[in-house]
Amino acid sequence: MLSVGADTGTGTVTGVLMNDLSMQAQPAAARTSRRAPPMRHVEIAWLGPDRRPEWRSVTIPALAEFECAFNAFARGTYLQTPSGPRAIEDLQPGQMLTTEAHGPQPILWIGQMRMVPDAPLDRPELGQITRILPDAFGTERPQANLLLGPGARLVDPHAPANPLTPARLIQDGLSALEIRPHHPIEFFHIQLPRHALIRAANMSVESFHPCEGIFETMGTNAQMFLLTLFPHLEALHDFGTLSCPRLSLWADRITAAA
């Protein structure tokens, strides 16, 4: 069972990371008001050196730089595999996912966290959950209710030629809704050998990639802490390059329409 809250045994880690996270990408007001965050308990699963799945519970600062590796797909989301759709909570590292441009790819890593109503947030956007209704963008697009978290980007059904768009920016009040659950929801994210588009309830959504630019906003200690969340990787450049352009998770609607 995952939980969210303060962890009194990690104050030193939090302090080091907060001092090490550069505020250059933040507005001046945010840089001066940002305080040490609470900690969140999350779970990671990865493909070990013997090609078998391994699991670990870890504690991370409740900061956007780390949380977005865990909060893309809600429990119950069906992802396309070569043998058919599988619920994300039933997948394990080593199993194959179907990608749109690179064929079947093995899952290397799965992150899991619980989003709790009214939990303290590093940024307001981290609390925005998007529900896309069945057939909202055509027959079986999506095939069922699709619940995406703040770490999800997808192909914008209204403008498929645009960069990958944060889920919250396709909310229109009709076919894609913002929801505010009154109970905790488990979310997941998945990393593959390369950044790719995968099919979630027949919608094109990206696999996890932290984006090269995020490393420029983090000091050495924060970078190394991020790397510890991915035990199968030896260096940050092992994430590879982005396979397609995308908008920042913090983009606004004006940026998305540009």
Side-chain angles (χ1 to χ4, degrees), residues 129-187:
I129 299 174
T130 302
R131 176 188 177 191
I132 305 178
L133 302 181
D135 303 323
F137 300 107
T139 304
E140 296 191 341
R141 297 189 63 221
Q143 295 167 327
N145 279 302
L146 178 59
L147 206 60
L148 297 175
R153 295 183 184 87
L154 71 163
V155 173
D156 186 344
H158 298 297
N162 284 0
L164 295 177
T165 302
R168 63 183 175 80
L169 291 185
I170 70 167
Q171 294 172 6
D172 57 13
L174 296 173
S175 55
L177 313 174
E178 179 181 2
I179 67 167
R180 298 183 179 274
H182 298 292
H183 56 83
I185 299 180
E186 285 181 287
F187 276 88

Side-chain angles (χ1 to χ4, degrees), residues 20-22 65-66 213-220 222-223 226:
D20 206 23
L21 282 167
S22 167
E65 291 87 347
F66 303 104
I214 192 173
F215 306 138
E216 299 173 1
T217 70
M218 306 172 82
T220 302
Q223 290 181 19
L226 178 65

Side-chain angles (χ1 to χ4, degrees), residues 96-118:
M96 305 297 285
L97 277 186
T98 301
T99 70
E100 295 191 3
H102 309 296
Q105 295 285 313
I107 298 171
L108 298 186
W109 180 93
I110 301 175
Q112 178 182 356
M113 70 176 290
R114 175 167 288 189
M115 290 184 63
V116 176
D118 301 322

Side-chain angles (χ1 to χ4, degrees), residues 13-102:
V13 173
T14 307
V16 169
L17 291 175
M18 283 304 301
N19 290 334
D20 206 23
L21 282 167
S22 167
M23 298 298 117
Q24 292 180 1
Q26 299 287 330
R31 292 199 298 269
T32 58
S33 62
R34 197 176 193 185
R35 299 178 180 177
M39 306 297 285
R40 302 216 195 286
H41 302 296
V42 299
E43 293 188 6
I44 57 175
W46 69 96
L47 197 60
D50 60 355
R51 310 305 291 176
R52 295 182 179 180
E54 299 185 28
W55 293 267
R56 182 188 302 163
S57 295
V58 296
T59 304
I60 64 171
L63 296 171
E65 291 87 347
F66 303 104
E67 286 195 25
C68 288
F70 298 87
N71 56 15
F73 305 100
R75 170 179 285 273
T77 300
Y78 278 83
L79 302 183
Q80 188 65 36
T81 77
S83 58
R86 294 282 302 275
I88 191 167
E89 64 269 21
D90 295 333
L91 295 172
Q92 294 185 12
Q95 294 180 316
M96 305 297 285
L97 277 186
T98 301
T99 70
E100 295 191 3
H102 309 296

